[in-house]
Amino acid sequence: MKAETLEEVLFPGLDLVVRQAVVADDNLMIDAAGCGPPGTCPQCQRPAARIHSRYWRHVAGLPVGGHRVIVRLRVRRFFCDQGQCRRRTFVEQVAGLTEPRRRYSTAARSAMRTVAVELGGRPGQRLCTKLRLHGRRTALLGQLTAPAVPARAPRILGIDEFAFRRGRTYGTVLVDIETSRPVDVLPDRETSTVAAWLLEHPGTEVVCRDRLMAFTKAISKAAPGALEVADRWHLLQNLSTAVEKTCRQHRDCLRQPAATRSDQQSAAPESPLLDRVRQRHRDVNELASTGMSLSAIGRRLRLDRKTVRRYRDNDLESLLISAQDRGRGVLDSYIEHVRHRFEAGSTSSMQLYRELLALGYTGGYHVVNRYVRAIRNGITVPARAGIPSPRTITSWIMRPQETLSPSDAAQLGAALNACPEIASACDLAQEFTDMLRHRRGHQLRDWIQKAELSGPDAIGVFADSIRQDLKAVTAGLTLTYSSGIVEGHVNRIKTIKRQMYGRASFTLLRARILLQS
């Protein structure tokens, strides 16, 4: 077996002569010199004939045997003898090892680029330290350069938004559906920005998108000939929201038998909580109608921004229903005990609360205290029957019926029998999901007309939104194109964004998104 030289082991195929290799501290220092033919002038591409001088150059390489590698390279500087060339001298480059003005070998730079793409700056630096690879944070980030965007857009383009800060700032990702690779990332989701990109990169024939109106306007403006395809997942999500809203609006139908529903309505006086809900709903909507932002309204009314959004985006009836049920769910199983103990003479809310804790109660004291005060005032409401939540009923309706267990199917049947509005929403939702799963987009117009004429209000609003985007929704219910690939990239973007903890610029984030694919 032929013994290999040190050059063949450390630098296979390179024009190098290794003169010495010494381990110093944690570094492997290698003295080497180039032995290849004279190179060509980088300006005039003419070969060199005379050596000008020699000097030492230090290049960091890949680790060997658990040691950092530093190549102390003796390189030659050549004359350029072409009188018309502006360059007088140039330095030789060892192909596969050095590059002009680089302190890292070609292989080391490739490894650093991979680490930077996957981890970024500081995490990448920590990994390089453990791998005995030279790579500081700034050097790693310097390897991240976004690839050039093709002049023409993909034939099938997917477009979706992602959040820099949820509820505040958003960006846009553009994906080639056929290759499953991101094409570009935009700094916002404004119509003008998306339209400008589409104008600069023509060639799109099909656009898969969600139902954001900004994208619809941009496509109509910049690519009017492209076929728009509404995403089926977003359609199901919007339909599910409409069904759940219907279930919430009519959940009183589920709390008592149908025979006694009309004549056993509670005539209890309204609590201060309901008055506060009405007042907040009125104040929030009055300020919102003047054009004030959510944050400004929150500062004016001393409310959280999310609370302001809830009062602005929900109708008063649903807010009142939610307020009536607040806290009651955890107490329902203990109401009979509270009433029995109260009638026996134990009227202290704190004493009753301590007794309930011993029985396994997990709610707060204020819930018990509010119910005890209601007993004193004679305005208590009997414990609710064990009925499924609106969200649970919605999940049963939206799932294929053959996948429901016998128990779930029985509870769903009872809910549909108790409320005609929920039953109507169920029929319309199942008809729509059947159209979607079997690509029967030609039936969509009839479904819209049926939903608007005989469906619950929330389903009617959903049907009206479909009518306004009829062509794209019909394409989504007919063609096989989908935005699922784009949603996968949005999830990947969330991971990359959270790794960077909001410190990095948009330029760096865009580079990592486009490189890590």
Side-chain angles (χ1 to χ4, degrees):
M1 184 175 179
K2 181 182 177 181
E4 295 183 342
T5 64
L6 195 57
E7 291 86 352
E8 293 174 339
V9 173
L10 296 177
F11 307 105
L14 301 186
D15 295 327
L16 280 180
V17 175
V18 177
R19 297 175 175 174
Q20 183 178 344
V22 179
V23 175
D25 297 331
D26 197 26
N27 298 324
L28 175 61
M29 308 292 296
I30 300 175
D31 284 355
C35 61
T40 59
C41 174
Q43 183 128 6
C44 66
Q45 304 300 318
R46 297 295 181 89
R50 296 186 299 149
I51 296 177
H52 175 277
S53 59
R54 291 178 174 85
Y55 70 96
W56 291 102
R57 181 179 179 184
H58 293 76
V59 180
L62 291 177
V64 173
H67 298 284
R68 292 186 175 90
V69 171
I70 299 178
V71 180
R72 189 168 176 260
L73 185 63
R74 183 78 163 176
V75 294
R76 296 168 290 180
R77 181 182 293 275
F78 294 96
F79 282 106
C80 180
D81 293 326
Q82 299 299 318
Q84 298 177 350
C85 183
R86 299 175 61 182
R87 182 183 288 270
R88 308 318 305 162
T89 64
F90 63 91
V91 178
E92 70 172 329
Q93 301 296 333
V94 179
L97 178 66
T98 64
E99 293 176 318
R101 302 179 184 86
R102 299 289 186 185
R103 289 184 165 185
Y104 302 91
S105 68
T106 304
R109 286 190 64 236
S110 178
M112 290 170 58
R113 181 185 178 89
T114 301
V115 171
V117 168
E118 296 297 332
L119 296 178
R122 288 184 176 88
Q125 179 178 335
R126 292 194 292 269
L127 180 61
C128 287
T129 301
K130 294 180 179 179
L131 295 178
R132 298 295 188 269
L133 180 67
H134 292 274
R136 293 185 176 275
R137 175 179 61 88
T138 54
L140 291 171
L141 297 181
Q143 307 299 323
L144 297 178
T145 303
V149 179
R152 292 186 63 81
R155 187 179 70 88
I156 305 176
L157 179 68
I159 182 171
D160 201 0
E161 61 181 351
F162 65 92
F164 294 114
R165 293 188 65 186
R166 187 174 181 180
R168 299 192 179 186
T169 55
Y170 289 83
T172 302
V173 60
L174 305 162
V175 179
D176 186 343
I177 298 297
E178 293 181 303
T179 63
S180 301
R181 296 181 65 87
V183 177
D184 204 353
V185 181
L186 306 181
D188 56 55
R189 59 176 180 179
E190 299 298 326
T191 299
S192 57
T193 304
V194 178
W197 191 95
L198 292 173
L199 288 173
E200 293 174 1
H201 304 82
T204 298
E205 300 177 7
V206 179
V207 181
C208 300
R209 58 166 176 81
D210 61 10
R211 307 191 65 202
L212 186 67
M213 290 303 299
F215 295 156
T216 305
K217 294 177 181 178
I219 297 168
S220 302
K221 178 180 178 181
L227 173 63
E228 299 181 50
V229 180
D231 183 52
R232 291 183 286 276
W233 184 87
H234 287 92
L235 290 171
L236 288 179
Q237 183 189 44
N238 295 339
L239 175 61
S240 177
T241 301
V243 172
E244 183 176 350
K245 187 173 183 180
T246 301
C247 294
R248 290 189 182 279
Q249 291 175 340
H250 297 277
R251 55 186 163 181
D252 282 341
C253 301
L254 309 177
R255 292 180 180 146
Q256 47 189 322
T260 60
R261 189 183 312 131
S262 59
D263 57 353
Q264 290 188 5
Q265 299 294 328
S266 174
E270 295 189 353
S271 67
L273 174 62
L274 301 184
D275 293 336
R276 185 167 67 250
V277 169
R278 287 193 178 91
Q279 182 65 37
R280 285 184 176 176
H281 183 268
R282 181 167 55 252
D283 294 343
V284 167
N285 283 274
E286 286 178 357
L287 294 175
S289 63
T290 64
M292 290 183 64
S293 65
L294 296 179
S295 298
I297 297 174
R299 289 191 295 269
R300 173 75 66 85
L301 301 179
R302 296 183 179 181
L303 296 175
D304 184 80
R305 191 171 182 272
K306 294 179 181 178
T307 303
V308 175
R309 181 188 288 114
R310 183 165 63 89
Y311 276 95
R312 185 197 65 179
D313 295 344
N314 292 278
D315 58 87
L316 180 60
E317 181 181 357
S318 62
L319 292 171
L320 291 174
I321 293 175
S322 177
Q324 288 174 336
D325 288 342
R326 192 174 302 164
R328 283 288 309 281
V330 293
L331 186 61
D332 282 343
S333 302
Y334 306 94
I335 282 181
E336 291 302 324
H337 176 83
V338 174
R339 293 182 63 86
H340 174 74
R341 294 287 293 133
F342 188 89
E343 293 171 358
S346 180
T347 59
S348 169
S349 299
M350 181 56 68
Q351 178 61 33
L352 292 172
Y353 172 64
R354 289 169 179 165
E355 293 179 9
L356 295 184
L357 289 178
L359 296 175
Y361 173 68
T362 59
Y365 165 74
H366 67 283
V367 178
V368 178
N369 183 48
R370 185 165 60 239
Y371 189 74
V372 171
R373 283 191 283 110
I375 294 178
R376 292 194 186 99
N377 298 330
I379 59 173
T380 59
V381 179
R384 296 178 297 183
I387 60 173
S389 67
R391 181 165 295 182
T392 300
I393 297 175
T394 302
S395 69
W396 292 338
I397 292 174
M398 297 302 297
R399 286 163 53 189
Q401 297 303 293
E402 60 272 12
T403 64
L404 296 179
S405 65
S407 174
D408 293 344
Q411 293 186 74
L412 176 60
L416 300 182
N417 291 332
C419 182
E421 292 291 323
I422 297 179
S424 175
C426 177
D427 293 339
L428 289 169
Q430 292 177 353
E431 184 177 344
F432 185 88
T433 55
D434 183 72
M435 278 193 303
L436 184 145
R437 293 188 177 106
H438 296 91
R439 304 293 191 274
R440 297 171 182 166
H442 62 280
Q443 301 176 353
L444 184 59
R445 290 182 181 272
D446 295 337
W447 184 91
I448 293 175
Q449 185 176 8
K450 180 179 178 181
E452 291 179 336
L453 292 177
S454 60
D457 293 341
I459 303 296
V461 172
F462 170 71
D464 181 66
S465 69
I466 290 180
R467 185 183 294 279
Q468 298 176 22
D469 197 19
L470 183 60
K471 187 176 180 180
V473 176
T474 303
L477 268 60
T478 306
L479 305 177
T480 59
Y481 303 121
S482 170
S483 296
I485 295 173
V486 188
E487 293 295 334
H489 280 287
V490 170
N491 287 335
R492 185 173 61 84
I493 290 171
K494 293 177 181 178
T495 302
I496 297 174
K497 180 173 63 70
R498 287 164 184 163
Q499 286 178 345
M500 301 164 76
Y501 298 104
R503 296 190 302 265
S505 64
F506 168 75
T507 302
L508 180 59
L509 176 63
R510 175 176 176 271
R512 288 195 63 191
I513 292 172
L514 297 180
L515 290 171
Q516 196 182 100
S517 59

